[in-house]
Amino acid sequence: MVHKQLFINNEYVDATSNETLSIYSPHDESLVEEGIQIASLRDVDTAVAAARAAFQGEWSQWSPRQRSTAMLKFADLLEAHAKELAPWETKSVGQLPAVAEFIYPWTVETFRYFAGWTDKLPGESWTDDSTGLYHLVQYDPVGVCAAIGAWNASAMFFALKVAPALATGCTVVFKASEKSPIGILQIGALVKEAGFPPGVVNIVTGDGKVGAALASHMDVDKVTFTGSTFAGLKVQELALKSNMKRVTLELGGKSPSLVFPDADLKNALEKSMWVLTNSGQGCIHATRIFVHEDIADTFIAGMKERFEQKTVGAPTDSKTEMGPVADRAQFERVMSFIDAGKQEAQLVTGGNRVGEKGCYIQPTIFLNPKDDARIYREEIFGPVVTIRTFKTEEEAIKLANDTSFGLSSCIYTASVPRALRIAKQLKVGGVHINNAHQTHNRVPFGGAKKSGLGSEGGRLGLMAYLEAKTISINMTL
Ligand code: NDP
């Protein structure tokens, strides 16, 4: 049975709106599922009220050990059901099984990782002899959290937001993307089976309107968002104008990759190919490649060959190395960038759709885009990269930083001093030396500039669900 209702207070319940979502496969645009219920504003209120009641009720009495036990049980359940859940991403957004099956274990491990934090939440104390004061700093859970996710790694976003929220004693209303809500909706049953009290985790479905209702809700204490910079700015504005709820934003990217002549070229080429993972739909992908002019010809030829050898096809075909983009809207969007790019840069390879039906696009490389080209400035979120050459390290850094985004970056060089020197100067949330971006749940992940606000993962990701409270005691009495 496929759950299509909202998940509130540990039960699947009908939405009060009559609206539903239908999901179509990007492989052949056939119907995957219909009748997925869309939350009304009233349903959003109900979910938030459930989360508030849980936050103030039984959940607040749970010990760290109890929270951790339920989180570990939930992780075990997710692990046991991963093989049923992952295919929803393949059906809904065309994710290759290999990618979907990587994301689920990652999700499971993230719940296990944060489960280990429940009894290690920090506190501080300070004595101040000059004033006779003794200060205690305690960190309280921020409260009811709204979590809004993108579609390109739905379960990962669920984990990065819900796991630290639960570890710290918060409660959550999660909204998945309208492009891939089915897998996340099925997870509700596992939340209940893991033994969380009703209202601790709630899942609502719908489009941006539902997200906006959560971001502007007066009884939500924090909103954590993964999505485009465009929508992220709206979320921040709504949060600010409503009740100044706390905000974490994980937004878009247009990350640079710098390839120096002393780099291990085979490694640089192989890691640069990760940009086609998930059909190029990754916020972290290094889509602006800058290569030193001395090795440019060899590097570009190597990339061209690899792009042309990529087998594009049905996600369920075992020979496929790259599937379709997520849906018709995403296909049209990426193709419009490619069409514009043909006027703004030299097309090295690709540039067309693949096949007559479905949302398949050739891996595409553009060389030397004009400085103001859309393909060079805007996030495409498809299998498209630009390559430019540079002469000096200073020029490479300037080119890398010349963007409004600041999510990730890659540096390929044999010189560790050079890599560290450059890392210091890049305005980004992450630097990957001789590697493509590899997200790990133990370290902070976030963006500089318009790529986001705050971090997820690691201790910093946990602290984002806590608020400091200073208690000062007059010790002179
Ligand atoms: P969107 O910004 O379109 O949507 C993200 C989520 O926000 C969806 O659930 C969406 O609902 C919802 N939403 C849309 N408008 C609003 C609004 N006004 N208020 C509140 N919520 C809203 O992004 P995509 O889903 O298309 O995802 C791709 C984007 O996400 C890319 O820019 C990518 O770089 C970024 N991303 C960032 C990551 C990071 O960690 N930095 C990781 C992965 C992706 P719905 O879609 O249902 O309409």
Side-chain angles (χ1 to χ4, degrees), residues 14-191:
D14 280 330
T16 59
S17 80
N18 292 321
E19 291 174 83
T20 56
L21 282 173
S22 300
I23 304 293
Y24 296 90
S25 161
H27 166 58
D28 56 5
E29 301 185 61
S30 61
L31 184 69
V32 173
E33 282 293 341
E34 59 188 347
I36 297 144
Q37 300 191 9
I38 296 182
S40 66
L41 296 186
R42 212 167 107 205
D43 299 323
V44 169
D45 283 344
T46 307
V48 172
R52 173 63 60 196
F55 179 69
Q56 288 167 349
E58 185 190 344
W59 181 238
S60 67
Q61 305 305 312
W62 273 36
S63 66
R65 171 62 64 88
Q66 282 175 294
R67 293 206 300 275
S68 167
T69 303
M71 289 178 72
L72 291 172
K73 180 158 183 209
F74 178 68
D76 290 347
L77 287 165
L78 261 185
E79 192 167 46
H81 289 271
K83 284 214 158 17
E84 300 145 38
L85 295 168
W88 285 116
E89 308 309 315
T90 305
K91 289 181 202 165
S92 307
V93 289
Q95 200 160 68
L96 293 193
V99 176
E101 286 164 15
F102 161 81
I103 286 173
Y104 265 92
W106 198 97
T107 300
V108 168
E109 285 313 313
T110 300
F111 272 94
R112 289 186 179 140
Y113 167 76
F114 280 109
W117 270 108
T118 57
D119 57 1
K120 298 169 194 70
L121 302 180
E124 296 150 36
S125 66
W126 305 89
T127 53
D128 188 342
D129 294 336
S130 65
T131 58
L133 292 177
Y134 188 89
H135 302 292
L136 299 172
V137 184
Q138 73 181 43
Y139 291 88
D140 296 332
V142 66
V144 172
C145 302
I148 301 168
W151 46 266
N152 59 321
S154 303
M156 202 179 249
F157 308 137
F158 185 85
L160 279 171
K161 296 172 189 318
V162 177
L166 298 182
T168 50
C170 295
T171 57
V172 190
V173 180
F174 188 89
K175 186 196 99 62
S177 163
E178 62 181 327
K179 285 190 191 352
S180 62
I182 306 174
I184 294 293
L185 268 181
Q186 312 315 302
I187 287 177
L190 309 183
V191 167

Side-chain angles (χ1 to χ4, degrees), residues 21 148-153 157 160-161 175-179 205-215 223 225-232 234-235 238 249-253 281-284 330 333 379 381 405 407 445-447 451-452 456:
L21 282 173
I148 301 168
W151 46 266
N152 59 321
F157 308 137
L160 279 171
K161 296 172 189 318
K175 186 196 99 62
S177 163
E178 62 181 327
K179 285 190 191 352
T205 309
D207 60 11
K209 285 198 289 300
V210 176
L214 286 166
V223 58
F225 175 89
T226 296
S228 61
T229 297
F230 177 78
K234 292 200 165 165
V235 165
L238 291 169
L249 300 173
E250 300 288 349
L251 308 179
Q281 301 162 121
C283 55
I284 50 178
Q330 189 65 12
R333 186 172 179 276
E379 184 184 43
F381 224 54
F405 295 104
L407 193 57
F445 168 59
S451 286
E456 290 184 326

Side-chain angles (χ1 to χ4, degrees), residues 377-456:
R377 293 282 157 198
E378 295 177 36
E379 184 184 43
I380 301 173
F381 224 54
V384 184
V385 296
T386 62
I387 303 181
R388 270 179 81 157
T389 57
F390 66 85
K391 288 186 191 345
T392 64
E393 187 178 311
E394 293 68 34
E395 186 191 2
I397 295 167
K398 201 165 166 229
L399 287 167
N401 279 332
D402 183 20
T403 167
S404 58
F405 295 104
L407 193 57
S408 187
S409 62
C410 304
I411 305 170
Y412 295 96
T413 175
S415 163
V416 172
R418 187 214 306 267
L420 293 180
R421 198 164 58 229
I422 296 175
K424 176 112 176 99
Q425 293 175 74
L426 294 181
K427 291 185 176 53
V428 292
V431 179
H432 298 263
I433 298 170
N434 294 323
N435 204 5
H437 186 118
Q438 270 185 287
T439 305
H440 204 290
N441 52 24
R442 279 181 210 145
V443 288
F445 168 59
K449 299 194 272 186
K450 284 191 171 175
S451 286
L453 193 67
S455 298
E456 290 184 326

